[in-house]
Amino acid sequence: MNRGFYTIMAAQFFSSLADNALLFVAIDLLISTQSPAWITPLLKLSFVLFYVLLAAFVGAFADALPKGRVMFIANLVKIFGCALIFAQIHPLLAYAVVGFGAAIYSPAKYGILTELLPPEKLVAANGWIEGLTVTSIILGTVMGGALVSSRVAPTLLGFDFPGLDTGIDTPTEAALCIVGGTYVLAAIFNLKIPDTGCVYPHQERNPIKLITDFANCYSILWKDKLGQITLAVTTLFWGAGATLQLIVLEWAKKSLHMPFDKATSLVGVVAIGVALGAALSARFIPLRKSLTVIPLGIAMGVIVMLMTQVHSVYLAYPLLILIGALSGFFVVPMNALLQHRGHVLMSAGHSIAVQNFNENLSILTMLAVYSVMIRLHLDLDIIIVAFGLFVAGTMYMIMRKHAASQREHDSLALIGEHKH
């Protein structure tokens, strides 16, 4: 690993930290304004909307400029979205703007890894990136909950500058200033990311041709025997992960009787497990063994259903750490293998854009279904069991599909193949 990689990690950490803190500040704002419970999932849905809408365009944009510059531009968009909440624009709209910036950011963030590092280092690099991202989720979740808590908010509002009226009068405004400053810190690191020297062919600007090109890349990745399995697993993982985040908040309130600022710590506990799993897989799973971790996805779905039997905080913590660890252990190798196949078959930015489209379409779909379930006042235990069965059943079908493909042709021989 080199200095450029560590700079990317720092930029990613602070940008993700701010994203996650802002989510919980926005959720608290919805709660304080007494918005209906079914609107909360729509907040996360609004964030990922542009990942789907812009999928055909952000890959080309990421490959058209040095990726550090793309990440800097994306962080400026996020800062603007944060400022919109400060200006009392509805959180759904403002957080959608932050999602617009994140959609631009993602292909550059992951695409630069394949430019900077050889294939054999991608699992380790992804382990570091995922571990750091999860750490930022943990700290961002705790930070967001703390910023709006009754203990921290008065302290922030107590800061005063002689002769200067800052106009910051509410806990939400004080929290937004801290989050905005974190985005600025990420942008500074973006400016320090080195140019890798990778130059792709001239990027198409015609929207119709971009959509056609994206559709072609989409088809290539789904038809590839390795690409289709890894894409299916990561698509399911991110949709399930986003939904589980909100399920845990609701479960903490109803089954464990925890207030919002305490419930956010449980989301952080899941993330601790993901970080542990990511670190272990980066240490012990080489790229060629990536597909051996698929059964852990089935185990994760089964264990999620045990949440319905837990009503003690002391049992909740180890259960959530285990769920997170299983998630992290199987998603990191899948992510690395998908990046490798995407880089072999097409450019880095385009393959990550296809990955983002699928993963965030999954998030949109699962969050929409969860929002409808809440709107219909379904019992939370029924929702948790349905969620666990869906994850375990889908992972089992993916495993069967891979086994059938292997009987026809040894797709594992494609791992390590040079770029086409």
Side-chain angles (χ1 to χ4, degrees):
M1 304 298 178
N2 54 35
R3 185 180 296 177
F5 176 71
Y6 294 122
T7 308
I8 293 164
M9 284 176 42
Q12 165 58 9
F13 173 79
F14 287 110
S15 188
S16 179
L17 179 73
D19 287 348
N20 286 280
L22 185 59
L23 171 63
F24 291 97
V25 171
I27 290 174
D28 180 74
L29 185 57
L30 289 177
I31 292 171
S32 64
T33 54
Q34 299 183 329
S35 298
W38 59 271
I39 287 185
T40 301
L42 299 185
L43 191 65
K44 187 79 173 177
L45 190 147
S46 73
F47 180 83
V48 302
L49 183 63
F50 282 107
Y51 277 93
V52 176
L53 296 180
L54 298 179
F57 311 105
V58 291
F61 182 65
D63 288 338
L65 298 171
K67 291 184 170 52
R69 194 185 309 169
V70 173
M71 292 160 76
F72 175 73
I73 293 168
N75 259 321
L76 292 183
V77 175
K78 290 182 178 184
I79 292 169
F80 177 66
C82 185
L84 287 179
I85 302 181
F86 196 92
Q88 298 185 340
I89 302 297
H90 195 282
L92 283 180
L93 179 59
Y95 204 52
V97 173
V98 177
F100 178 81
I104 298 170
Y105 194 95
S106 188
K109 170 186 73 177
Y110 284 113
I112 197 171
L113 294 182
T114 55
E115 296 177 358
L116 205 62
L117 303 169
E120 62 271 14
K121 287 194 174 181
L122 280 179
V123 172
N126 268 273
W128 278 100
I129 289 287
E130 292 301 330
L132 201 70
T133 299
V134 169
T135 303
S136 71
I137 291 171
I138 298 166
L139 296 178
T141 301
V142 174
M143 175 179 162
L147 286 174
V148 295
S149 71
S150 56
R151 297 185 305 278
V152 176
T155 304
L156 292 176
L157 290 171
F159 284 112
D160 203 7
F161 297 95
L164 178 65
D165 181 13
T166 60
I168 300 169
D169 304 313
T170 67
T172 299
E173 290 174 345
L176 289 172
C177 287
I178 302 296
V179 173
T182 310
Y183 278 130
V184 170
L185 189 56
I188 292 170
F189 276 106
N190 291 149
L191 293 173
K192 302 291 184 181
I193 293 173
D195 187 346
T196 61
C198 284
V199 179
Y200 296 100
H202 174 71
Q203 298 300 312
E204 184 58 64
R205 294 185 180 181
N206 184 308
I208 302 300
K209 289 185 178 179
L210 279 171
I211 292 170
T212 304
D213 184 39
F214 174 78
N216 183 47
C217 293
Y218 182 91
S219 175
I220 288 170
L221 211 48
W222 271 113
K223 286 179 180 177
D224 182 72
K225 293 300 183 184
L226 281 180
Q228 63 186 211
I229 299 300
T230 53
L231 199 50
V233 171
T234 55
T235 295
L236 174 67
F237 172 82
W238 288 109
T243 311
L244 184 63
Q245 197 176 43
L246 298 178
I247 287 176
V248 167
L249 282 178
E250 194 67 18
W251 176 67
K253 182 174 76 174
K254 293 193 173 177
S255 295
L256 305 177
H257 311 293
M258 298 174 76
F260 176 74
D261 60 327
K262 294 279 198 314
T264 56
S265 68
L266 285 186
V267 178
V269 167
V270 179
I272 288 172
V274 176
L276 290 173
L280 287 172
S281 65
R283 176 70 180 84
F284 295 110
I285 305 295
L287 196 62
R288 289 188 176 276
K289 299 275 188 181
S290 298
L291 293 166
T292 60
V293 302
I294 290 179
L296 295 180
I298 301 173
M300 188 198 85
V302 173
I303 291 171
V304 161
M305 291 186 279
L306 295 178
M307 287 170 63
T308 59
Q309 305 303 312
V310 173
H311 302 282
S312 162
V313 174
Y314 298 106
L315 292 176
Y317 280 100
L319 178 66
L320 293 178
I321 287 175
L322 178 59
I323 290 170
L326 290 171
S327 305
F329 198 89
F330 85 78
V331 80
V332 167
M334 292 289 106
N335 232 13
L337 184 54
L338 181 54
Q339 286 174 25
H340 171 57
R341 286 307 293 163
H343 185 61
V344 167
L345 298 168
M346 61 196 76
S347 73
H350 283 71
S351 67
I352 300 299
V354 172
Q355 183 179 350
N356 282 341
F357 175 80
N358 285 279
E359 290 172 359
N360 289 285
L361 189 59
S362 170
I363 292 173
L364 281 175
T365 304
M366 293 184 72
L367 285 177
V369 170
Y370 175 65
S371 182
V372 169
M373 286 178 164
I374 295 292
R375 185 75 177 86
L376 294 174
H377 304 291
L378 283 184
D379 185 77
L380 185 63
D381 285 353
I382 293 174
I383 294 174
I384 290 171
V385 170
F387 175 80
L389 285 173
F390 173 75
V391 171
T394 306
M395 288 297 298
Y396 177 72
M397 287 189 287
I398 292 170
M399 190 170 70
R400 291 286 301 273
K401 170 66 177 169
H402 173 59
S405 297
Q406 278 297 98
R407 286 193 292 270
E408 294 175 16
H409 175 72
D410 182 17
S411 58
L412 297 180
L414 299 171
I415 298 176
E417 187 179 19
H418 294 297
K419 186 168 176 60
H420 290 178

